[in-house]
Amino acid sequence: MTSPKFPVTDDHIHIDPVNGRGLDAARDFLRAGGTHMFLVSKPSWSLGVSPSTGTDYRQVFDETIRVAGLVAELGLVVYPVLGVHPAEISRLSERISLADAVAVMKGGLDCAAGYVLEGKAVALKSGRPHYDAGPEVLSASNDVLFHALEKAAECRCALQVHAETGPCMDIADMANKAGVPVDRVVKHYASPGTPLHPSFIAREETIPDLVRERHPLTMESDYMDENSRPGAVIGPKSVPRYTNQLLAAGRITVEDCFFIHAETVEHVYGVPVNL
Ligand SMILES: [Zn+2]
């Protein structure tokens, strides 16, 4: 394999050796030209964990850290991102009250923040249901999301946000109130026009235009690595593949690749991206 000429960073990917292809998927990413990945913790239920306190998320986070170590041995740089999936609120409130669900999720975020402070993870993850969950659940979710923003402010780290499609203007206001720079609040699965930092799925058509204007953006696959859901998302090669397609078509330059995959990533997450 020839050494890569520029870094390629997947801003949001999951690798799951238990329920998915695991290291084979990471090898696919590497072979396609990937160099760095933000490895995001999976929802607790996908690992068979039913949390009843915040510290129960340790099982989920320790698994993410373990997998990060395995993937790093392949020669990739792996930055773990830990947090609580916004859809956990619906799962949890099937068996405990909404107020208790909020407390468990906030506790999970406190637990994740501990990993960031210890240097085991680089960022947090939170959000609110991307589906219509009703006003009560939405307001409870915003409460959890605000807590996540406060934790990100405390840890001086970035926060990935999983939320409904659209600009999420109010989340920018929440970030200001919590004291987190808006450009460190990453809208996962972004659509153009959000005031948050956009992480685009690696098929977004507007990327070349945005990059030409030096609009900060990153790219992700949101590959879930679940054998039970093949084709639910695009594959682990998609970020390097799309980057190389855009490059080959002359729609972006090598300099643009450094802007997307290194400079912007360093700015948003405060981590180094070197070849
Ligand atoms: Zn994801």
Side-chain angles (χ1 to χ4, degrees), residues 12-14 40-41 43 85 125 160 162 188 220 222-224:
H12 185 117
I13 186 169
H14 308 275
V40 182
S41 58
H85 195 283
K125 187 208 162 165
Q160 287 200 4
H162 186 161
H188 155 59
E220 65 177 53
D222 194 21
Y223 174 65
M224 301 224 264

Side-chain angles (χ1 to χ4, degrees), residues 190-256:
S191 35
T194 178
L196 308 177
H197 170 82
S199 176
F200 291 116
I201 292 286
R203 60 168 174 243
E204 168 60 43
E205 271 299 312
T206 60
I207 287 174
D209 292 338
L210 290 168
V211 169
R212 210 166 301 117
E213 295 159 12
R214 283 296 176 260
H215 190 298
L217 64 91
T218 44
M219 286 165 68
E220 65 177 53
S221 61
D222 194 21
Y223 174 65
M224 301 224 264
D225 207 17
E226 289 261 358
N227 289 335
S228 60
R229 296 181 63 189
V233 277
I234 56 179
K237 295 181 207 166
S238 54
V239 171
R241 193 156 56 190
Y242 191 51
T243 301
N244 281 302
Q245 271 172 15
L246 292 175
L247 190 62
R251 298 183 63 202
I252 59 173
T253 63
V254 169
E255 205 190 334
D256 294 337

Side-chain angles (χ1 to χ4, degrees), residues 119-147:
K120 290 181 178 169
V122 302
L124 296 172
K125 187 208 162 165
S126 180
R128 59 189 180 200
H130 59 276
Y131 48 90
D132 186 9
E136 234 189 324
V137 170
L138 179 61
S139 121
S141 298
N142 278 328
D143 186 11
V144 174
L145 173 55
F146 190 72
H147 185 75

